[in-house]
mmCIF file of all heavy atoms in Angstrom:
data_model
loop_
_atom_site.group_PDB
_atom_site.id
_atom_site.type_symbol
_atom_site.label_atom_id
_atom_site.label_comp_id
_atom_site.label_asym_id
_atom_site.label_seq_id
_atom_site.Cartn_x
_atom_site.Cartn_y
_atom_site.Cartn_z
ATOM 1 N N PRO A 266 -37.818 -1.475 -7.677
ATOM 2 C CA PRO A 266 -36.415 -1.296 -7.293
ATOM 3 C C PRO A 266 -36.215 -0.426 -6.056
ATOM 4 O O PRO A 266 -35.326 -0.693 -5.245
ATOM 5 C CB PRO A 266 -35.796 -0.642 -8.535
ATOM 6 C CG PRO A 266 -36.684 -1.039 -9.670
ATOM 7 C CD PRO A 266 -38.058 -1.097 -9.079
ATOM 8 N N VAL A 267 -37.044 0.617 -5.899
ATOM 9 C CA VAL A 267 -36.897 1.495 -4.728
ATOM 10 C C VAL A 267 -37.161 0.717 -3.445
ATOM 11 O O VAL A 267 -36.390 0.785 -2.483
ATOM 12 C CB VAL A 267 -37.839 2.708 -4.842
ATOM 13 C CG1 VAL A 267 -37.808 3.530 -3.552
ATOM 14 C CG2 VAL A 267 -37.466 3.573 -6.036
ATOM 15 N N ALA A 268 -38.235 -0.064 -3.423
ATOM 16 C CA ALA A 268 -38.549 -0.866 -2.245
ATOM 17 C C ALA A 268 -37.490 -1.928 -1.996
ATOM 18 O O ALA A 268 -37.151 -2.222 -0.844
ATOM 19 C CB ALA A 268 -39.924 -1.514 -2.411
ATOM 20 N N ALA A 269 -36.953 -2.506 -3.075
ATOM 21 C CA ALA A 269 -35.923 -3.535 -2.923
ATOM 22 C C ALA A 269 -34.684 -2.974 -2.245
ATOM 23 O O ALA A 269 -34.071 -3.638 -1.394
ATOM 24 C CB ALA A 269 -35.562 -4.115 -4.285
ATOM 25 N N ARG A 270 -34.315 -1.752 -2.613
ATOM 26 C CA ARG A 270 -33.121 -1.146 -2.006
ATOM 27 C C ARG A 270 -33.363 -0.731 -0.552
ATOM 28 O O ARG A 270 -32.415 -0.552 0.199
ATOM 29 C CB ARG A 270 -32.669 0.060 -2.836
ATOM 30 C CG ARG A 270 -32.033 -0.336 -4.164
ATOM 31 C CD ARG A 270 -31.453 0.857 -4.897
ATOM 32 N NE ARG A 270 -30.593 0.420 -5.999
ATOM 33 C CZ ARG A 270 -30.793 0.725 -7.277
ATOM 34 N NH1 ARG A 270 -31.818 1.480 -7.610
ATOM 35 N NH2 ARG A 270 -29.965 0.288 -8.204
ATOM 36 N N ARG A 271 -34.626 -0.581 -0.162
ATOM 37 C CA ARG A 271 -34.948 -0.177 1.203
ATOM 38 C C ARG A 271 -35.377 -1.343 2.074
ATOM 39 O O ARG A 271 -35.707 -1.152 3.249
ATOM 40 C CB ARG A 271 -36.063 0.876 1.180
ATOM 41 C CG ARG A 271 -35.654 2.189 0.533
ATOM 42 C CD ARG A 271 -36.815 3.169 0.504
ATOM 43 N NE ARG A 271 -36.428 4.440 -0.084
ATOM 44 C CZ ARG A 271 -37.260 5.438 -0.337
ATOM 45 N NH1 ARG A 271 -38.546 5.298 -0.047
ATOM 46 N NH2 ARG A 271 -36.831 6.568 -0.869
ATOM 47 N N ALA A 272 -35.385 -2.548 1.534
ATOM 48 C CA ALA A 272 -35.854 -3.709 2.289
ATOM 49 C C ALA A 272 -35.009 -3.925 3.539
ATOM 50 O O ALA A 272 -33.799 -3.685 3.553
ATOM 51 C CB ALA A 272 -35.815 -4.954 1.408
ATOM 52 N N ALA A 273 -35.666 -4.376 4.601
ATOM 53 C CA ALA A 273 -34.969 -4.604 5.866
ATOM 54 C C ALA A 273 -33.976 -5.756 5.739
ATOM 55 O O ALA A 273 -34.222 -6.730 5.022
ATOM 56 C CB ALA A 273 -35.988 -4.907 6.967
ATOM 57 N N SER A 274 -32.859 -5.640 6.441
ATOM 58 C CA SER A 274 -31.847 -6.700 6.463
ATOM 59 C C SER A 274 -32.209 -7.742 7.514
ATOM 60 O O SER A 274 -32.908 -7.456 8.494
ATOM 61 C CB SER A 274 -30.471 -6.110 6.791
ATOM 62 O OG SER A 274 -30.075 -5.166 5.827
ATOM 63 N N PHE A 275 -31.718 -8.976 7.327
ATOM 64 C CA PHE A 275 -31.964 -10.019 8.308
ATOM 65 C C PHE A 275 -31.195 -9.716 9.588
ATOM 66 O O PHE A 275 -29.984 -9.507 9.554
ATOM 67 C CB PHE A 275 -31.531 -11.379 7.760
ATOM 68 C CG PHE A 275 -32.427 -11.911 6.684
ATOM 69 C CD1 PHE A 275 -31.953 -12.093 5.398
ATOM 70 C CD2 PHE A 275 -33.753 -12.234 6.963
ATOM 71 C CE1 PHE A 275 -32.777 -12.585 4.397
ATOM 72 C CE2 PHE A 275 -34.586 -12.729 5.968
ATOM 73 C CZ PHE A 275 -34.097 -12.903 4.681
ATOM 74 N N PRO A 276 -31.873 -9.687 10.733
ATOM 75 C CA PRO A 276 -31.181 -9.407 11.997
ATOM 76 C C PRO A 276 -30.486 -10.658 12.531
ATOM 77 O O PRO A 276 -31.041 -11.418 13.327
ATOM 78 C CB PRO A 276 -32.315 -8.949 12.920
ATOM 79 C CG PRO A 276 -33.529 -9.621 12.388
ATOM 80 C CD PRO A 276 -33.328 -9.789 10.914
ATOM 81 N N LEU A 277 -29.281 -10.880 12.090
ATOM 82 C CA LEU A 277 -28.468 -12.003 12.534
ATOM 83 C C LEU A 277 -27.301 -11.480 13.353
ATOM 84 O O LEU A 277 -27.041 -10.270 13.405
ATOM 85 C CB LEU A 277 -27.968 -12.794 11.328
ATOM 86 C CG LEU A 277 -29.066 -13.469 10.492
ATOM 87 C CD1 LEU A 277 -28.484 -14.017 9.194
ATOM 88 C CD2 LEU A 277 -29.752 -14.576 11.274
ATOM 89 N N ASP A 278 -26.552 -12.380 13.958
ATOM 90 C CA ASP A 278 -25.437 -11.988 14.819
ATOM 91 C C ASP A 278 -24.251 -12.884 14.510
ATOM 92 O O ASP A 278 -24.380 -14.116 14.512
ATOM 93 C CB ASP A 278 -25.848 -12.131 16.287
ATOM 94 C CG ASP A 278 -24.943 -11.347 17.225
ATOM 95 O OD1 ASP A 278 -23.804 -11.053 16.827
ATOM 96 O OD2 ASP A 278 -25.376 -11.035 18.351
ATOM 97 N N GLY A 279 -23.099 -12.286 14.228
ATOM 98 C CA GLY A 279 -21.891 -13.061 13.976
ATOM 99 C C GLY A 279 -21.049 -13.276 15.215
ATOM 100 O O GLY A 279 -20.060 -14.007 15.178
ATOM 101 N N ARG A 280 -21.416 -12.648 16.323
ATOM 102 C CA ARG A 280 -20.657 -12.801 17.557
ATOM 103 C C ARG A 280 -20.819 -14.219 18.112
ATOM 104 O O ARG A 280 -21.838 -14.879 17.890
ATOM 105 C CB ARG A 280 -21.106 -11.771 18.591
ATOM 106 C CG ARG A 280 -20.815 -10.340 18.199
ATOM 107 C CD ARG A 280 -21.407 -9.338 19.169
ATOM 108 N NE ARG A 280 -22.869 -9.382 19.194
ATOM 109 C CZ ARG A 280 -23.631 -8.515 19.861
ATOM 110 N NH1 ARG A 280 -23.066 -7.545 20.545
ATOM 111 N NH2 ARG A 280 -24.950 -8.619 19.839
ATOM 112 N N GLY A 281 -19.796 -14.669 18.820
ATOM 113 C CA GLY A 281 -19.873 -15.996 19.426
ATOM 114 C C GLY A 281 -19.951 -17.114 18.415
ATOM 115 O O GLY A 281 -20.528 -18.176 18.700
#
Side-chain angles (χ1 to χ4, degrees):
V267 173
R270 288 186 167 120
R271 294 178 179 174
S274 299
F275 288 116
L277 296 170
D278 198 338
R280 295 174 296 187

